Amino acid sequence: MVKKQFLIGLVSALCVTQTIANEPYQASERAIRIAQENLLIDTHIDVPYRLNDDWEDVTVATERGDFDYPRAVAGGLNVPFMSIYIPAQLEQTPGASKQLAHQLIDGMEALAYRAPHKFALAASPDQVVQQQQRGVISIALGMENGSPIEGDLNNLYTFYNRGIRYITLAHSLSNHISDSSYDIRKQWGGLSPFGKTLVAEMNKLGVMVDISHVSDDAFWQVLEISKVPVIASHSSLRRYTPGFERNMSDEMIKGLADNGGIIMINFGSSFVTQQANRYRAMLKRKADAIIEQYGEESAEAKQALAEMEAKNPYPFATLDQVLDHIDHVVDLVGIDYVGIGSDYDGVGDSLPVGLKDVSTYPNLVEGLLQRNYSEADIKKILGQNFMRVWREVEEYAAKH
């Protein structure tokens, strides 16, 4: 029982309320201006599933979560790609993935219709630009996990018509489209036969292919098939998290750049540093040793577990460590292949010091300035790189 209670507490510890005070990052007026005046796109924010599970009115300031309208305005966010996240296990129940996807899209439509002076749906780069000029935030839609396609291209067309503009082929388990980086079962050796058909059809329709979450073999197969640039909507670099397949290796980043695609850096600490990535496994090893020494039900075990937790707080990454990921992509393949895919509202209380919610993008800009990035380069990272990819995908679809 003690061990079970500890493991429950361990999971909860990753989602506790942020308590770090006096963060050591302060954006300059120049950084704030750059964030406010230029197109800022974040390709992965998990608001739809958060609101489905625990509703709040994000058109005004909220007590929970990483996103609401006032904070988005403060951060300069123009285009949050709202994640239509579908839990992997739902694929075991026919129709459940598709049902949830439609419900989550309904929620984003309702958000835009309820506050048209604050939000508007966006299905194209041109709409994004027009709505930026009008001063409203564009809600774009990406589907995280392709399971709602259910092996039927008609569902792809339906979701395209509802505004889905990228699809993450798989999530935490392999599905009918692709193997997952998290799943030890590599049932397809990459993409399934239907997955290969789907990638080609997404190209023709104008839906971006998102390779975040897929296995390495699936990634390389996507690059062989796709006629247009692909995206990693919320991934970081394996260089800083050795052995973590969910992140991308240097060779994969080079392949992505050769394809013309783009990696959008995930802010979650477990994606950013090896220490945070291995934190849960480290705590479990320490807990197992304590329980083996004292016994599962003993008072000594309870006291030792409590002391161990207090001595091993979660190792939040820092803004500077996030910047290291951006630096490495730029050094490896150039400035044109990197952007922002924060995973706000998707990684719990694991966000770096200095990047705790959508109001903090100016801190990122400040860090880039301090690392001698030009304003022209910062504009590319904030949104221009992604807009290039989106337009190329649209242009190919228009011809096919």
Side-chain angles (χ1 to χ4, degrees):
M1 182 63 70
V2 172
K3 183 176 182 180
K4 180 179 179 182
Q5 290 172 342
F6 168 75
L7 292 176
I8 292 172
L10 173 58
V11 174
S12 299
L14 299 180
C15 301
V16 296
T17 302
Q18 159 64 11
T19 59
I20 295 176
N22 300 318
E23 290 189 352
Y25 297 98
Q26 182 66 48
S28 64
E29 291 185 7
R30 183 185 180 198
I32 294 169
R33 175 184 60 77
I34 292 171
Q36 291 287 336
E37 292 182 356
N38 295 287
L39 187 65
L40 200 163
I41 301 173
D42 188 327
T43 53
H44 201 87
I45 296 180
D46 275 293
V47 167
Y49 195 78
R50 165 195 157 196
L51 298 187
N52 189 67
D53 188 54
D54 181 20
W55 189 85
E56 289 185 300
D57 183 2
V58 295
T59 68
V60 296
T62 59
E63 295 182 0
R64 299 185 294 277
D66 309 324
F67 173 97
D68 56 40
Y69 179 77
R71 284 183 283 175
V73 170
L77 179 62
N78 302 110
V79 188
F81 261 82
M82 297 299 192
S83 173
I84 305 303
Y85 161 66
I86 309 299
Q89 65 272 18
L90 283 187
E91 189 170 64
Q92 299 172 13
T93 304
S97 294
K98 184 170 68 172
Q99 175 73 15
L100 178 58
H102 282 298
Q103 289 175 351
L104 297 183
I105 295 171
D106 287 348
M108 292 299 97
E109 289 179 345
L111 176 61
Y113 295 150
R114 192 168 69 250
H117 57 299
K118 296 180 178 180
F119 297 107
L121 296 170
S124 71
D126 287 344
Q127 283 185 327
V128 163
V129 172
Q130 292 164 5
Q131 288 164 186
Q132 180 193 17
Q133 293 170 348
R134 288 202 292 120
V136 298
I137 293 175
S138 291
I139 295 175
L141 301 176
M143 180 180 287
E144 186 178 20
N145 190 356
S147 60
I149 304 303
E150 295 189 337
D152 185 348
L153 292 179
N154 287 322
N155 288 327
L156 172 65
Y157 311 144
T158 296
F159 284 117
Y160 174 83
N161 289 332
R162 294 212 65 187
I164 294 295
R165 287 302 178 266
Y166 76 69
I167 295 176
T168 316
L169 300 181
H171 193 252
S172 57
L173 298 173
S174 298
N175 61 14
H176 72 283
I177 297 167
S178 175
D179 290 336
S180 165
S181 61
Y182 285 123
D183 196 338
I184 61 173
R185 304 168 304 147
K186 307 299 185 190
Q187 60 177 326
W188 304 114
L191 298 175
S192 71
F194 176 75
K196 295 174 182 178
T197 299
L198 179 66
V199 168
E201 197 65 23
M202 288 169 67
N203 283 180
K204 294 176 183 177
L205 189 58
V207 179
M208 288 172 277
V209 180
D210 178 18
I211 54 78
S212 289
H213 282 284
V214 304
S215 69
D216 287 11
D217 286 339
F219 166 80
W220 291 111
Q221 290 169 17
V222 166
L223 292 194
E224 289 177 5
I225 296 168
S226 183
K227 304 298 183 183
V228 298
V230 304
I231 68 169
S233 72
H234 58 306
S235 295
S236 295
L237 309 190
R238 210 174 292 177
R239 173 184 179 88
Y240 299 101
T241 56
F244 186 43
E245 188 177 347
R246 172 66 178 80
N247 274 348
M248 296 184 69
S249 69
D250 283 5
E251 288 306 307
M252 295 169 75
I253 294 165
K254 290 177 182 177
L256 188 70
D258 289 342
N259 160 266
I262 182 172
I263 177 172
M264 316 300 284
I265 299 300
N266 190 313
F267 292 173
S269 291
S270 65
F271 292 82
V272 175
T273 70
Q274 186 175 22
Q275 185 182 14
N277 187 263
R278 297 182 177 180
Y279 174 74
R280 281 191 284 183
M282 177 274 293
L283 279 193
K284 186 178 184 301
R285 287 194 303 271
K286 290 180 179 292
D288 288 344
I290 289 170
I291 290 167
E292 183 177 355
Q293 179 179 359
Y294 295 111
E296 191 166 342
E297 299 292 339
S298 69
E300 292 87 351
K302 293 180 181 180
Q303 181 178 348
L305 286 170
E307 292 174 356
M308 184 269 292
E309 287 186 73
K311 292 178 181 178
N312 293 276
Y314 185 76
F316 290 100
T318 65
L319 183 155
D320 290 291
Q321 289 169 319
V322 174
L323 292 169
D324 289 342
H325 286 249
I326 295 175
D327 280 352
H328 186 66
V329 176
V330 173
D331 291 342
L332 193 67
V333 295
I335 192 65
D336 297 322
Y337 307 101
V338 64
I340 299 170
S342 65
D343 216 346
Y344 281 135
D345 275 326
V347 291
D349 185 24
S350 73
L351 290 160
V353 178
L355 291 172
K356 290 298 184 183
D357 62 34
V358 294
S359 71
T360 60
Y361 298 111
N363 290 346
L364 185 75
V365 175
E366 178 66 24
L368 292 168
L369 289 171
Q370 291 181 5
R371 294 190 181 205
N372 297 317
Y373 283 81
S374 69
E375 288 198 27
D377 285 346
I378 293 172
K379 290 176 186 179
K380 288 186 175 185
I381 295 168
L382 294 183
Q384 289 178 353
N385 286 340
F386 183 81
M387 289 287 275
R388 169 187 60 79
V389 171
W390 196 356
R391 289 192 185 281
E392 288 184 36
V393 170
E394 275 200 337
E395 289 166 3
Y396 179 88
K399 296 176 182 177
H400 294 83

